[in-house]
Amino acid sequence: MRVLVADDERLLADTVAEGLRRLSMAVDVCYDGDGALERVGVNRYDVAVLDRDMPGRTGDEVCRSIAGSQVGTRVLLLTAAAGIRDRVEGLGLGADDYLTKPFAFAELVARVQALGRRSTPALPPVLAQDGLVLDVGRHTVTRDGRPVTLSPKEFAVLHVLLRAGGQVVSAEELLEQAWDEFADPFTNAVRVTVMTLRKKLGDPAIIHTVPKAGYRIGGTA
């Protein structure tokens, strides 16, 4: 899942982003509405977490722009205003959900995950193929019943590959869906992550390289 976090409270924005990254989400961060509008114009996000009260262009304006673009990005608005009228007004802008500050991080995560499921075709919370089982909710992976410990990035890459259902996923697509905006398009991070992922999953190999195309799960090499 790729997420944009936009909040002028830098410590809050950075803390939220770091917490979401630990859950294998690719997160971009900005601290004003102009930066948020710039990023949604360039990148495809599953969820945008927007503070309503940012200086300059507000979260309301960014939300309205996202809703009008019909790109499929789900919006979670954050605000200190807890009144019913404020919540109704925020949802009326095109937001998909609303969370008042201060909030529990666990609740924000649950709301982001729920919105992420709505931004793409529905997928089961547990993905399985050829003895490999990835449980999104529990953030666990097993192969033939054996627990496999993965880093957040390895988990994210495996999730993208399993979600593809055996179709080829290019290195560029993996970079876009599992890394943030600061990833170098010329980096070998995808190749290295896939290599370590293969080692951890063990033999026989389940992740195959398709020359000049990308990677896929299952089938023959």
Side-chain angles (χ1 to χ4, degrees):
M1 188 188 307
R2 188 161 187 181
V3 180
L4 172 66
V5 175
D7 196 314
D8 62 311
E9 295 183 55
R10 289 178 175 250
L11 179 59
L12 174 63
D14 291 341
T15 301
V16 167
E18 185 58 33
L20 294 177
R21 288 181 184 126
R22 290 198 187 102
L23 296 173
S24 303
M25 300 183 196
V27 186
D28 296 339
V29 184
C30 60
Y31 310 107
D32 57 56
D34 290 326
L37 280 174
E38 179 182 345
R39 284 164 176 78
V40 297
V42 174
N43 303 312
R44 163 70 171 87
Y45 295 101
D46 297 295
V47 179
V49 180
L50 308 174
D51 176 39
R52 287 193 70 179
D53 307 313
M54 290 184 289
R57 296 199 181 189
T58 64
D60 288 0
E61 292 179 79
V62 179
C63 176
R64 192 180 293 114
S65 176
I66 292 174
S69 67
Q70 298 183 335
V71 295
T73 300
R74 302 296 180 176
V75 176
L76 172 60
L77 283 180
L78 303 178
T79 182
I84 293 177
R85 185 174 181 177
D86 296 296
R87 295 200 296 272
V88 170
E89 183 182 70
L91 294 172
L93 294 168
D96 298 278
D97 202 355
Y98 197 97
L99 188 59
T100 56
K101 299 178 178 179
F103 51 81
F105 180 70
E107 182 179 4
L108 181 137
V109 168
R111 290 174 183 265
V112 168
Q113 290 176 329
L115 291 176
R117 290 193 293 269
R118 290 164 56 187
S119 73
T120 56
L123 288 170
V126 177
L127 301 174
Q129 187 172 338
D130 299 336
L132 186 62
V133 179
L134 182 146
D135 188 317
V136 178
R138 292 185 173 86
H139 209 261
T140 59
V141 173
T142 61
R143 184 169 190 191
D144 298 326
R146 172 181 62 87
V148 181
T149 302
L150 302 180
S151 71
K153 198 61 65 182
E154 290 161 354
F155 187 94
V157 168
L158 183 60
H159 189 201
V160 173
L161 291 172
L162 281 170
R163 214 166 52 194
Q167 299 298 309
V168 176
V169 181
S170 70
E172 290 77 13
E173 289 173 309
L174 285 172
L175 199 63
E176 180 179 343
Q177 295 181 53
W179 275 263
D180 61 27
E181 64 180 332
F182 297 108
D184 181 353
F186 301 104
T187 183
N188 66 348
V190 171
R191 182 178 60 81
V192 171
T193 301
V194 170
M195 180 178 66
T196 59
L197 191 51
R198 281 176 172 146
K199 289 180 180 178
K200 290 184 177 183
L201 294 176
D203 295 323
I206 193 171
I207 300 177
H208 303 297
T209 300
V210 180
K212 299 183 180 179
Y215 306 93
R216 60 176 169 74
I217 288 277
T220 56

